[in-house]
Every structure is written in C-alpha cells, then in structure tokens.
Amino acid sequence: MTRIRLALPEDAGAMLALYAPYVRETAVTFEYQVPAPEEFRCRVETTLARYPWLVLEREGKLLGYAYASQYQSRAAYQWGAEGSIYLEQGVRGSGLGTPLYRCLMELLRCQGVRTFYGCITHPNPASEAFHQKLGFTQAGLFPMAGYKLGQWWDILWMELPLGERSAPPEPFRPFPSLERETVKKVLEQAKKALN
C-alpha cells in the first residue's frame, strides 16, 4: 500500500539517500555537497517546528518527500511558503507527486498560507509542467542565478494562490498548532487520492 504520512526525524537517513543523487548529479538543487546526516536530520526537525514535511512510502520504502519552508523572513511575508518535492528517480512521472504536493498544499492552507511558491532551476521541463498542471503560474525569471555542473542556470519562480488574499488575513498558524484531527483528515484524503 502507498501512503503519505508526516515525516519523522528518523526518516532523515532514507530521505538523504534519495536526495543525494540530486545534489551530485543535477542542478535541481544548488547545493554542491551532500549534507551530513546530522545536518539533514536537523533540517527536518527545524522545518517541522513551523511547516509540514511529508513522506511518500510504499510497503515501508520511501519513494519521495515534500516539505514547505519560509518564503522570506520579514513579517509581511508570513502568508507565503516555498515548497520542495523530491521523488526517487524511478517514480518520477508516475503521478505520485501530485497527491503528495496537493497534501502539502492543503496543510499549508490550514495554516493560513495564502501563496505557495515553487523555485525551479530553469530549464527543467518536467518540474515546470508538473507545477503548471497543479495551477502554478510564472511569477518571475532570474537569468543565470546559479552556477553548477559547469554552467549557469536560470531560476524560475512560480506561484499558486491557496486562498483569498484579502486584508487582513487570519494569523499564520505554525504546523504543530494545527488540530490533530485536521491533519489526520488531510492525510486520509491524500490516501484516497493515491489508491
């Protein structure tokens, strides 16, 4: 059975093993060095203190993960969040990323996030098509923003409204403050979308 669940700090090793090829072999991430296991575990713990971090697994095997992070640090940006999603290479294009990312977006909506951002190395036709399919639109293109694997890469920012952007918005709620029943309901909806 395939399921989506909340990540645990103990998942860090499996997630790092999935992430490492992206660091070493692609420009999908602009990191040059694979993070140390302790550092990656700290990232998971730090993220979960404010945002969701989800794991996609089948029969106990990790197939992917998605998480949100702070878009910008100033107070006025608190209703925006940036998303990241990584799938095992053999799972990409299988349709499993869509329910994983939709689940993340629904949890963010429950937190009061009103705009979800994707920061994509450009060109990356698969990621761009994935985001467009989910309703994201282009917000900006930053030419030659990063250098990796012997070349310059652009950065494409895409955005998706998650709710009405009226003033004043309801206060942002850190992920741990969401009611357990709300989180459980969102995860159950994601399970239905997978099976």
Side-chain angles (χ1 to χ4, degrees), residues 6 47-54 67-70 78-81 103-116 162 169-179 182-183 186:
L6 297 179
T47 298
L48 286 170
R50 189 161 173 86
Y51 295 101
W53 190 312
L54 303 172
Y67 65 93
S69 57
Q70 187 175 35
Q78 66 186 290
W79 294 277
C103 183
L104 179 65
M105 289 187 276
E106 186 56 34
L107 290 170
L108 291 170
R109 189 178 286 115
C110 294
Q111 288 183 256
V113 171
R114 290 294 165 254
T115 308
F116 191 44
L162 293 183
E170 299 219 358
F172 171 82
R173 294 177 290 285
F175 183 63
S177 71
L178 290 184
E179 298 80 16
T182 299
V183 174
V186 172

Short mmCIF file of all heavy atoms in Angstrom, two decimals, residues 6 47-54 67-70 78-81 103-116 162 169-179 182-183 186:
data_model
loop_
_atom_site.label_atom_id
_atom_site.label_comp_id
_atom_site.label_asym_id
_atom_site.label_seq_id
_atom_site.Cartn_x
_atom_site.Cartn_y
_atom_site.Cartn_z
N LEU A 6 3.31 12.06 7.87
CA LEU A 6 4.23 13.07 8.35
C LEU A 6 5.62 12.47 8.50
O LEU A 6 5.77 11.33 8.96
CB LEU A 6 3.78 13.63 9.70
CG LEU A 6 2.44 14.36 9.72
CD1 LEU A 6 2.13 14.83 11.14
CD2 LEU A 6 2.45 15.53 8.77
N THR A 47 12.26 22.30 10.30
CA THR A 47 11.11 22.53 9.43
C THR A 47 9.82 22.16 10.13
O THR A 47 8.84 22.92 10.11
CB THR A 47 11.25 21.73 8.12
OG1 THR A 47 12.41 22.18 7.42
CG2 THR A 47 10.03 21.89 7.23
N LEU A 48 9.79 20.99 10.78
CA LEU A 48 8.56 20.53 11.43
C LEU A 48 8.11 21.43 12.58
O LEU A 48 6.95 21.38 12.98
CB LEU A 48 8.74 19.09 11.93
CG LEU A 48 8.72 18.02 10.84
CD1 LEU A 48 9.15 16.67 11.41
CD2 LEU A 48 7.34 17.92 10.20
N ALA A 49 8.98 22.28 13.07
CA ALA A 49 8.60 23.22 14.12
C ALA A 49 7.72 24.34 13.59
O ALA A 49 7.06 25.04 14.36
CB ALA A 49 9.85 23.81 14.78
N ARG A 50 7.66 24.47 12.25
CA ARG A 50 6.88 25.57 11.65
C ARG A 50 6.03 25.12 10.46
O ARG A 50 4.94 25.66 10.24
CB ARG A 50 7.83 26.68 11.23
CG ARG A 50 7.12 27.94 10.80
CD ARG A 50 8.05 29.13 10.85
NE ARG A 50 7.43 30.31 10.28
CZ ARG A 50 6.66 31.16 10.94
NH1 ARG A 50 6.40 30.95 12.20
NH2 ARG A 50 6.15 32.22 10.35
N TYR A 51 6.51 24.16 9.68
CA TYR A 51 5.85 23.75 8.44
C TYR A 51 5.75 22.23 8.35
O TYR A 51 6.50 21.51 9.00
CB TYR A 51 6.64 24.25 7.22
CG TYR A 51 6.68 25.75 7.10
CD1 TYR A 51 7.80 26.47 7.51
CD2 TYR A 51 5.59 26.45 6.60
CE1 TYR A 51 7.84 27.86 7.40
CE2 TYR A 51 5.62 27.83 6.49
CZ TYR A 51 6.75 28.53 6.89
OH TYR A 51 6.77 29.89 6.79
N PRO A 52 4.88 21.72 7.47
CA PRO A 52 4.80 20.27 7.27
C PRO A 52 5.97 19.74 6.46
O PRO A 52 6.50 20.43 5.59
CB PRO A 52 3.49 20.08 6.47
CG PRO A 52 2.89 21.42 6.26
CD PRO A 52 3.87 22.45 6.71
N TRP A 53 6.34 18.51 6.77
CA TRP A 53 7.30 17.74 5.97
C TRP A 53 6.64 16.37 5.82
O TRP A 53 6.36 15.70 6.81
CB TRP A 53 8.64 17.64 6.67
CG TRP A 53 9.75 17.07 5.81
CD1 TRP A 53 9.69 15.94 5.05
CD2 TRP A 53 11.07 17.59 5.64
NE1 TRP A 53 10.88 15.72 4.42
CE2 TRP A 53 11.74 16.73 4.76
CE3 TRP A 53 11.73 18.70 6.16
CZ2 TRP A 53 13.07 16.94 4.38
CZ3 TRP A 53 13.04 18.90 5.78
CH2 TRP A 53 13.71 18.03 4.90
N LEU A 54 6.38 15.97 4.59
CA LEU A 54 5.66 14.73 4.30
C LEU A 54 6.54 13.70 3.63
O LEU A 54 7.47 14.05 2.90
CB LEU A 54 4.46 15.02 3.39
CG LEU A 54 3.45 16.05 3.90
CD1 LEU A 54 2.43 16.37 2.82
CD2 LEU A 54 2.78 15.55 5.17
N TYR A 67 8.17 19.15 1.42
CA TYR A 67 8.11 19.99 2.60
C TYR A 67 7.97 21.45 2.20
O TYR A 67 8.21 21.81 1.04
CB TYR A 67 9.34 19.79 3.50
CG TYR A 67 10.64 20.23 2.87
CD1 TYR A 67 11.14 21.51 3.08
CD2 TYR A 67 11.38 19.36 2.07
CE1 TYR A 67 12.34 21.91 2.51
CE2 TYR A 67 12.58 19.75 1.49
CZ TYR A 67 13.05 21.02 1.71
OH TYR A 67 14.22 21.43 1.13
N ALA A 68 7.59 22.26 3.15
CA ALA A 68 7.48 23.70 2.94
C ALA A 68 8.52 24.41 3.79
O ALA A 68 8.97 23.89 4.81
CB ALA A 68 6.09 24.19 3.30
N SER A 69 8.87 25.58 3.35
CA SER A 69 9.81 26.40 4.11
C SER A 69 9.39 27.87 4.00
O SER A 69 8.54 28.23 3.18
CB SER A 69 11.24 26.21 3.61
OG SER A 69 11.34 26.49 2.23
N GLN A 70 10.02 28.67 4.82
CA GLN A 70 9.71 30.09 4.85
C GLN A 70 10.10 30.72 3.52
O GLN A 70 11.20 30.52 3.01
CB GLN A 70 10.48 30.74 5.99
CG GLN A 70 10.15 32.16 6.26
CD GLN A 70 10.89 32.68 7.49
OE1 GLN A 70 12.03 32.29 7.74
NE2 GLN A 70 10.25 33.54 8.24
N GLN A 78 4.80 36.30 5.95
CA GLN A 78 4.45 35.07 6.66
C GLN A 78 3.33 34.27 6.03
O GLN A 78 3.16 33.09 6.32
CB GLN A 78 4.12 35.38 8.12
CG GLN A 78 2.87 36.20 8.32
CD GLN A 78 2.68 36.59 9.77
OE1 GLN A 78 2.39 35.74 10.60
NE2 GLN A 78 2.88 37.87 10.07
N TRP A 79 2.54 34.86 5.13
CA TRP A 79 1.44 34.13 4.49
C TRP A 79 1.87 33.51 3.17
O TRP A 79 1.04 33.04 2.40
CB TRP A 79 0.24 35.06 4.31
CG TRP A 79 -0.31 35.46 5.65
CD1 TRP A 79 -1.19 34.74 6.41
CD2 TRP A 79 0.01 36.63 6.39
NE1 TRP A 79 -1.43 35.40 7.59
CE2 TRP A 79 -0.72 36.57 7.61
CE3 TRP A 79 0.82 37.73 6.17
CZ2 TRP A 79 -0.65 37.55 8.57
CZ3 TRP A 79 0.89 38.72 7.13
CH2 TRP A 79 0.16 38.63 8.32
N GLY A 80 3.17 33.46 2.92
CA GLY A 80 3.72 32.77 1.76
C GLY A 80 4.64 31.65 2.23
O GLY A 80 5.26 31.76 3.29
N ALA A 81 4.70 30.58 1.46
CA ALA A 81 5.61 29.47 1.78
C ALA A 81 6.17 28.91 0.48
O ALA A 81 5.51 28.95 -0.56
CB ALA A 81 4.89 28.37 2.55
N CYS A 103 -1.36 17.37 -0.91
CA CYS A 103 -1.49 17.18 0.54
C CYS A 103 -0.72 18.27 1.27
O CYS A 103 -1.23 18.87 2.23
CB CYS A 103 -0.99 15.79 0.92
SG CYS A 103 -1.19 15.38 2.67
N LEU A 104 0.49 18.54 0.83
CA LEU A 104 1.29 19.61 1.43
C LEU A 104 0.56 20.95 1.32
O LEU A 104 0.47 21.70 2.30
CB LEU A 104 2.66 19.68 0.74
CG LEU A 104 3.61 20.77 1.23
CD1 LEU A 104 4.02 20.54 2.67
CD2 LEU A 104 4.83 20.85 0.32
N MET A 105 0.00 21.23 0.14
CA MET A 105 -0.70 22.49 -0.06
C MET A 105 -1.92 22.62 0.83
O MET A 105 -2.20 23.70 1.36
CB MET A 105 -1.11 22.64 -1.53
CG MET A 105 0.07 22.89 -2.44
SD MET A 105 -0.43 23.27 -4.14
CE MET A 105 -0.64 21.63 -4.80
N GLU A 106 -2.64 21.52 1.03
CA GLU A 106 -3.83 21.57 1.88
C GLU A 106 -3.45 21.84 3.34
O GLU A 106 -4.12 22.60 4.04
CB GLU A 106 -4.64 20.29 1.76
CG GLU A 106 -5.95 20.31 2.51
CD GLU A 106 -6.86 21.47 2.12
OE1 GLU A 106 -6.86 21.88 0.94
OE2 GLU A 106 -7.59 21.97 3.01
N LEU A 107 -2.37 21.24 3.80
CA LEU A 107 -1.91 21.52 5.16
C LEU A 107 -1.49 22.97 5.31
O LEU A 107 -1.79 23.62 6.32
CB LEU A 107 -0.77 20.57 5.54
CG LEU A 107 -1.17 19.11 5.74
CD1 LEU A 107 0.06 18.22 5.86
CD2 LEU A 107 -2.07 18.95 6.97
N LEU A 108 -0.83 23.50 4.30
CA LEU A 108 -0.43 24.91 4.34
C LEU A 108 -1.66 25.82 4.36
O LEU A 108 -1.68 26.83 5.07
CB LEU A 108 0.46 25.25 3.14
CG LEU A 108 1.86 24.62 3.17
CD1 LEU A 108 2.55 24.83 1.83
CD2 LEU A 108 2.69 25.18 4.30
N ARG A 109 -2.66 25.46 3.58
CA ARG A 109 -3.91 26.23 3.57
C ARG A 109 -4.51 26.27 4.98
O ARG A 109 -4.97 27.31 5.45
CB ARG A 109 -4.89 25.62 2.58
CG ARG A 109 -6.13 26.46 2.34
CD ARG A 109 -7.06 25.84 1.31
NE ARG A 109 -6.52 25.97 -0.03
CZ ARG A 109 -6.13 24.97 -0.81
NH1 ARG A 109 -6.24 23.73 -0.40
NH2 ARG A 109 -5.64 25.18 -2.01
N CYS A 110 -4.48 25.14 5.66
CA CYS A 110 -4.99 25.07 7.03
C CYS A 110 -4.18 25.96 7.98
O CYS A 110 -4.70 26.43 9.00
CB CYS A 110 -4.99 23.63 7.55
SG CYS A 110 -6.13 22.53 6.69
N GLN A 111 -2.93 26.17 7.66
CA GLN A 111 -2.07 27.02 8.49
C GLN A 111 -2.31 28.51 8.24
O GLN A 111 -1.79 29.35 8.96
CB GLN A 111 -0.59 26.72 8.21
CG GLN A 111 -0.12 25.39 8.75
CD GLN A 111 1.36 25.21 8.49
OE1 GLN A 111 1.75 24.47 7.60
NE2 GLN A 111 2.19 25.90 9.27
N GLY A 112 -3.02 28.82 7.16
CA GLY A 112 -3.26 30.21 6.82
C GLY A 112 -2.37 30.72 5.71
O GLY A 112 -2.39 31.92 5.39
N VAL A 113 -1.56 29.86 5.09
CA VAL A 113 -0.71 30.28 3.97
C VAL A 113 -1.62 30.63 2.80
O VAL A 113 -2.55 29.89 2.48
CB VAL A 113 0.29 29.16 3.59
CG1 VAL A 113 1.02 29.50 2.30
CG2 VAL A 113 1.28 28.94 4.72
N ARG A 114 -1.33 31.75 2.17
CA ARG A 114 -2.17 32.21 1.07
C ARG A 114 -1.49 32.12 -0.29
O ARG A 114 -2.16 32.13 -1.31
CB ARG A 114 -2.62 33.66 1.34
CG ARG A 114 -3.62 33.75 2.48
CD ARG A 114 -4.91 33.05 2.10
NE ARG A 114 -5.79 32.79 3.23
CZ ARG A 114 -5.98 31.60 3.79
NH1 ARG A 114 -5.33 30.55 3.34
NH2 ARG A 114 -6.81 31.44 4.79
N THR A 115 -0.16 32.03 -0.32
CA THR A 115 0.55 31.90 -1.59
C THR A 115 1.64 30.85 -1.44
O THR A 115 2.44 30.92 -0.51
CB THR A 115 1.16 33.24 -2.04
OG1 THR A 115 0.17 34.26 -2.01
CG2 THR A 115 1.71 33.13 -3.46
N PHE A 116 1.64 29.90 -2.37
CA PHE A 116 2.62 28.82 -2.37
C PHE A 116 3.57 29.06 -3.55
O PHE A 116 3.11 29.28 -4.68
CB PHE A 116 1.89 27.49 -2.53
CG PHE A 116 2.73 26.27 -2.30
CD1 PHE A 116 3.60 26.18 -1.24
CD2 PHE A 116 2.60 25.18 -3.15
CE1 PHE A 116 4.35 25.03 -1.02
CE2 PHE A 116 3.34 24.02 -2.94
CZ PHE A 116 4.21 23.95 -1.87
N LEU A 162 -3.37 29.95 -2.56
CA LEU A 162 -4.01 28.87 -1.79
C LEU A 162 -5.30 29.33 -1.12
O LEU A 162 -5.99 28.53 -0.50
CB LEU A 162 -3.05 28.35 -0.72
CG LEU A 162 -1.80 27.62 -1.21
CD1 LEU A 162 -1.00 27.11 -0.02
CD2 LEU A 162 -2.16 26.49 -2.14
N PRO A 169 -5.44 39.25 6.73
CA PRO A 169 -5.53 37.79 6.76
C PRO A 169 -5.59 37.27 8.19
O PRO A 169 -5.21 37.97 9.13
CB PRO A 169 -4.22 37.35 6.09
CG PRO A 169 -3.29 38.48 6.34
CD PRO A 169 -4.11 39.73 6.39
N GLU A 170 -6.06 36.04 8.33
CA GLU A 170 -6.03 35.40 9.64
C GLU A 170 -4.57 35.15 10.00
O GLU A 170 -3.73 34.97 9.12
CB GLU A 170 -6.80 34.09 9.59
CG GLU A 170 -8.25 34.30 9.24
CD GLU A 170 -9.16 33.39 10.01
OE1 GLU A 170 -8.66 32.57 10.80
OE2 GLU A 170 -10.37 33.53 9.81
N PRO A 171 -4.25 35.07 11.27
CA PRO A 171 -2.85 34.83 11.67
C PRO A 171 -2.33 33.49 11.14
O PRO A 171 -3.07 32.51 11.08
CB PRO A 171 -2.90 34.83 13.20
CG PRO A 171 -4.15 35.54 13.55
CD PRO A 171 -5.12 35.28 12.43
N PHE A 172 -1.07 33.49 10.76
CA PHE A 172 -0.41 32.26 10.35
C PHE A 172 -0.32 31.34 11.56
O PHE A 172 -0.02 31.77 12.67
CB PHE A 172 1.00 32.57 9.83
CG PHE A 172 1.84 31.35 9.59
CD1 PHE A 172 1.71 30.62 8.43
CD2 PHE A 172 2.75 30.92 10.56
CE1 PHE A 172 2.49 29.48 8.22
CE2 PHE A 172 3.51 29.79 10.35
CZ PHE A 172 3.39 29.07 9.18
N ARG A 173 -0.59 30.03 11.35
CA ARG A 173 -0.51 29.06 12.44
C ARG A 173 0.66 28.11 12.19
O ARG A 173 0.67 27.39 11.18
CB ARG A 173 -1.81 28.26 12.51
CG ARG A 173 -3.01 29.11 12.92
CD ARG A 173 -4.31 28.34 12.91
NE ARG A 173 -4.79 27.96 11.59
CZ ARG A 173 -5.35 28.80 10.72
NH1 ARG A 173 -5.49 30.07 11.02
NH2 ARG A 173 -5.79 28.39 9.55
N PRO A 174 1.64 28.07 13.09
CA PRO A 174 2.72 27.09 12.94
C PRO A 174 2.14 25.67 12.87
O PRO A 174 1.13 25.37 13.51
CB PRO A 174 3.58 27.29 14.19
CG PRO A 174 3.27 28.68 14.63
CD PRO A 174 1.83 28.91 14.27
N PHE A 175 2.78 24.82 12.10
CA PHE A 175 2.26 23.48 11.86
C PHE A 175 1.92 22.71 13.14
O PHE A 175 0.86 22.09 13.22
CB PHE A 175 3.23 22.68 10.98
CG PHE A 175 2.73 21.32 10.64
CD1 PHE A 175 1.58 21.16 9.88
CD2 PHE A 175 3.40 20.19 11.08
CE1 PHE A 175 1.10 19.89 9.56
CE2 PHE A 175 2.92 18.93 10.76
CZ PHE A 175 1.78 18.78 10.01
N PRO A 176 2.77 22.73 14.18
CA PRO A 176 2.43 21.97 15.39
C PRO A 176 1.15 22.44 16.08
O PRO A 176 0.58 21.69 16.88
CB PRO A 176 3.64 22.18 16.30
CG PRO A 176 4.76 22.51 15.38
CD PRO A 176 4.13 23.30 14.27
N SER A 177 0.68 23.65 15.76
CA SER A 177 -0.53 24.16 16.41
C SER A 177 -1.82 23.70 15.71
O SER A 177 -2.91 23.93 16.24
CB SER A 177 -0.50 25.68 16.49
OG SER A 177 -0.69 26.25 15.21
N LEU A 178 -1.70 23.07 14.54
CA LEU A 178 -2.91 22.56 13.88
C LEU A 178 -3.50 21.42 14.70
O LEU A 178 -2.78 20.62 15.29
CB LEU A 178 -2.59 22.05 12.47
CG LEU A 178 -2.24 23.07 11.40
CD1 LEU A 178 -2.06 22.38 10.06
CD2 LEU A 178 -3.28 24.16 11.30
N GLU A 179 -4.84 21.34 14.71
CA GLU A 179 -5.51 20.27 15.42
C GLU A 179 -5.16 18.93 14.78
O GLU A 179 -5.10 18.81 13.56
CB GLU A 179 -7.04 20.48 15.38
CG GLU A 179 -7.52 21.75 16.05
CD GLU A 179 -7.36 22.99 15.17
OE1 GLU A 179 -7.15 22.85 13.95
OE2 GLU A 179 -7.40 24.10 15.72
N THR A 182 -7.53 17.71 12.15
CA THR A 182 -7.40 18.39 10.85
C THR A 182 -6.30 17.73 10.03
O THR A 182 -6.50 17.42 8.85
CB THR A 182 -7.08 19.89 11.06
OG1 THR A 182 -8.16 20.49 11.78
CG2 THR A 182 -6.89 20.60 9.75
N VAL A 183 -5.16 17.51 10.65
CA VAL A 183 -4.03 16.88 9.96
C VAL A 183 -4.41 15.47 9.53
O VAL A 183 -4.15 15.06 8.39
CB VAL A 183 -2.77 16.88 10.85
CG1 VAL A 183 -1.64 16.10 10.19
CG2 VAL A 183 -2.34 18.31 11.16
N VAL A 186 -6.67 15.53 6.44
CA VAL A 186 -5.93 15.85 5.21
C VAL A 186 -5.14 14.64 4.74
O VAL A 186 -5.12 14.32 3.55
CB VAL A 186 -5.02 17.08 5.43
CG1 VAL A 186 -4.10 17.29 4.23
CG2 VAL A 186 -5.85 18.33 5.70
#
